[in-house]
């Protein structure tokens, strides 16, 4: 029975957070024990509790709170995990250092092609805190290559375990569409949604500018911006400044019923400036939704332009609007693209395979010799 401490930046709705819920299910199924430590609260706190997993909040102030490290050390020494597995930057910095000081086995999952890694001082600080981990996982080869190029890690020491989807849960033939009328959506109107945290990474400015260009389209689509985050007020203000009418664009907040939401929309848009391998992309494809996405991170490894989705350059609202318009103008082709998207996810992105590989890694980590010294981890 392995004791695994997961440390993650938040329990808000996001790709890394949804991945964590799947891991909690997987380790529970095989008889292991998990504990979750986090920084920012969110709707997934109840989902963690419903799985019988205890959770500890490390800080209300993020990295500005020196007590976060003390709480992490206290938790590790009290709960005595066999493995500490961290996700996202705050958790990597605090969790990996606390685990190293406590002589615990350590695993990192790298989720994004973060632009901050190009800053040499920030990358050095990250390496200093996280080096010597027993295993380093990237959710796509593009993420692994990005970290190797800018983060100072040797490429051959980063394993790729791609994200996976529960195809039973995301089954378009078994899910009833969510009622979107509370969000102002009228019957028969095509719905275009961008789903994700309201942060710089998701580049909602790009989406709003594209929506402005597409708004005069004869189909009069309704645009949904789904998610929560620090930029909510800014996005709401920009909607007004751009003249997007509130009856055509809705900030929905967080929606937990993701399969039902995806079943109800006509198109999924990813307008991000950078990504790893977004879970929303795979979920939308599994639900046979036609996807229009920026070609960033690991997305081009999944989406073949014109075959199972549409790819556009980042920060190019005209290209984004044009791709969206083409999907709207040819619903038969959009349906064919959605079918191909489901086929891609079914054959390449199974949650069972992903979770089994991670559980195998836990076993191998505990069976291996002590973790390497810092020089072996760095380029």
């Amino acid at each position: 029975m392995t004791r695994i401490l997961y440390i993650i930046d938040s329990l808000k709705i996001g790709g890394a957070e949804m991945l964590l819920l799947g891991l909690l299910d997987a380790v529970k199924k095989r008889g292991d024990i998990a504990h979750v430590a986090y920084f920012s609260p969110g709707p997934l706190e109840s989902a963690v509790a419903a799985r019988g997993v205890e959770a500890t909040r490390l800080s209300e102030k993020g990295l500005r709170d020196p007590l976060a490290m003390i709480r992490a050390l206290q938790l590790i020494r009290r709960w005595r995990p066999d493995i500490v597995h961290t996700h996202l930057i705050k958790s990597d910095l605090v969790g990996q250092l606390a685990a190293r000081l406590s002589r615990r086995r350590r695993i990192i999952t790298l989720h994004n092609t973060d632009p901050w890694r190009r800053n040499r001082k920030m990358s050095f600080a990250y390496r200093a805190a996280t080096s010597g981990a027993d295993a380093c996982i990237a959710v796509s080869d593009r993420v692994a290559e990005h970290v190797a190029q800018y983060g100072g890690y040797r490429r051959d020491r980063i394993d790729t375990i791609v994200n996976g989807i529960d195809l039973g849960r995301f089954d378009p033939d078994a899910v009833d569409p969510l009622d979107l009328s509370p969000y102002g959506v009228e019957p028969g109107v095509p719905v275009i949604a961008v789903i994700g945290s309201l942060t710089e990474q998701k580049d909602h400015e790009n989406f709003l500018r594209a929506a402005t260009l597409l708004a005069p389209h004869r189909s009069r689509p309704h645009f949904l911006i789904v998610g929560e985050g620090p930029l909510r007020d800014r996005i709401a203000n920009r909607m007004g400044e751009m003249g997007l009418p509130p009856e055509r664009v809705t900030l929905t907040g967080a929606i937990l019923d993701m399969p039902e939401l995806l079943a109800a929309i006509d198109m999924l848009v990813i307008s991000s400036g950078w990504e790893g391998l977004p879970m929303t992309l795979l979920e939308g494809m599994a639900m046979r939704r036609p996807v229009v996405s920026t070609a960033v991170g690991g997305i081009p490894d999944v989406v073949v332009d014109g075959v199972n989705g549409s790819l556009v350059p980042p920060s190019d609202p005209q290209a984004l609007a044009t791709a969206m318009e083409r999907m709207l103008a040819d619903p038969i082709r959009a349906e064919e693209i959605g079918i191909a998207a489901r086929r891609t996810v079914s054959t390449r992105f199974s949650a069972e395979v992903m979770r089994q590989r991670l559980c195998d890694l836990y076993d191998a980590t505990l069976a291996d010799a002590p973790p390497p010294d810092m020089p072996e981890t760095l380029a």
Side-chain angles (χ1 to χ4, degrees):
M1 184 180 293
T2 303
R3 298 169 67 85
I4 306 166
L5 173 61
Y6 294 102
I7 306 182
I8 194 163
D9 284 10
S10 84
L11 290 180
K12 299 177 181 178
I13 297 175
E17 293 82 0
M18 298 307 294
L19 176 68
L20 173 62
L21 292 185
L23 287 177
L24 296 180
D25 292 336
V27 299
K28 181 179 179 181
K29 183 177 180 181
R30 73 180 206 145
D32 294 337
I33 301 175
H35 190 108
V36 174
Y38 64 99
F39 288 84
S40 300
L44 298 184
E45 288 175 285
S46 59
V48 171
R51 287 162 167 78
V53 175
E54 294 184 3
T56 300
R57 188 173 182 187
L58 296 178
S59 172
E60 298 181 4
K61 302 177 182 178
L63 296 178
R64 294 174 298 170
D65 184 0
L67 293 179
M69 175 63 69
I70 295 173
R71 293 187 188 105
L73 286 167
Q74 291 173 336
L75 174 60
I76 290 171
R77 289 169 181 169
R78 181 179 73 250
W79 199 69
R80 301 187 61 81
D82 299 299
I83 294 172
V84 176
H85 187 172
T86 63
H87 299 261
L88 304 174
I89 180 172
K90 288 196 290 284
S91 302
D92 292 345
L93 291 171
V94 172
Q96 288 292 315
L97 184 55
R100 181 164 65 179
L101 292 173
S102 304
R103 300 184 179 273
R104 300 288 106 183
R105 302 287 186 170
R106 299 183 281 132
I107 295 175
I108 305 173
T109 292
L110 305 166
H111 290 272
N112 286 301
T113 54
D114 302 286
W116 61 260
R117 290 189 187 277
R118 294 183 174 90
N119 182 304
R120 295 180 65 181
K121 291 182 179 179
M122 293 180 69
S123 281
F124 178 81
Y126 183 88
R127 286 199 309 273
T130 64
S131 61
D134 295 82
C136 189
I137 306 163
V139 300
S140 75
D141 285 336
R142 303 282 181 114
V143 171
E145 290 156 7
H146 179 82
V147 174
Q149 180 178 0
Y150 298 109
Y153 281 83
R154 282 171 37 186
R155 176 63 181 89
D156 61 354
R157 291 194 55 83
I158 306 174
D159 294 322
T160 298
I161 300 180
V162 296
N163 290 337
I165 294 299
D166 184 341
L167 295 169
R169 180 169 178 246
F170 289 90
D171 181 353
D173 296 322
V175 174
D176 293 326
L178 185 70
D179 177 13
L180 297 179
S181 60
Y183 304 105
V185 178
E186 298 178 357
V189 173
V191 180
I192 300 174
V194 60
I195 303 171
S197 57
L198 307 185
T199 58
E200 295 285 354
Q201 176 187 354
K202 304 302 180 180
D203 198 359
H204 290 85
E205 177 77 11
N206 186 24
F207 178 74
L208 290 175
R209 289 185 178 276
T212 303
L213 295 170
L214 194 62
H217 191 273
R218 61 184 180 274
S219 65
R220 294 183 58 81
H222 193 111
F223 302 96
L224 294 182
I225 301 175
V226 182
E228 287 287 358
L231 300 187
R232 181 183 177 87
D233 290 343
R234 183 200 297 182
I235 292 168
N237 290 336
R238 290 296 288 149
M239 288 164 50
E241 292 168 358
M242 292 181 184
L244 288 166
E247 65 271 16
R248 299 282 300 282
V249 186
T250 305
L251 268 166
T252 69
I255 296 178
L256 290 173
D257 303 319
M258 192 56 62
E260 292 79 5
L261 169 63
L262 290 167
I265 68 174
D266 297 279
M267 189 189 312
L268 174 66
V269 172
I270 295 174
S271 55
S272 301
W274 69 90
E275 282 287 356
L277 180 56
M279 295 291 285
T280 301
L281 170 72
L282 301 180
E283 292 167 353
M285 294 175 71
M287 291 297 293
R288 291 203 293 259
R289 298 302 88 188
V291 175
V292 175
S293 175
T294 49
V296 295
I299 294 173
D301 297 331
V302 181
V303 177
V304 179
D305 187 40
V307 176
N308 61 0
S310 182
L311 292 176
V312 299
S315 305
D316 189 339
Q318 180 62 67
L320 190 61
T322 299
M324 292 157 63
E325 195 279 332
R326 286 174 180 163
M327 287 286 190
L328 288 174
D330 192 347
I332 294 176
R333 182 61 185 142
E335 183 179 3
E336 292 172 346
I337 285 174
I339 292 170
R342 169 77 182 185
R343 188 182 307 119
T344 297
V345 174
S346 299
T347 55
R348 294 177 54 195
F349 299 98
S350 160
E352 282 192 26
V353 172
M354 174 199 69
R355 293 168 189 170
Q356 186 58 55
R357 287 195 63 193
L358 284 168
C359 288
D360 290 345
L361 180 63
Y362 294 156
D363 293 338
T365 297
L366 292 174
D368 281 348
D373 295 328
M374 183 185 297
E376 292 185 76
T377 311
L378 303 181

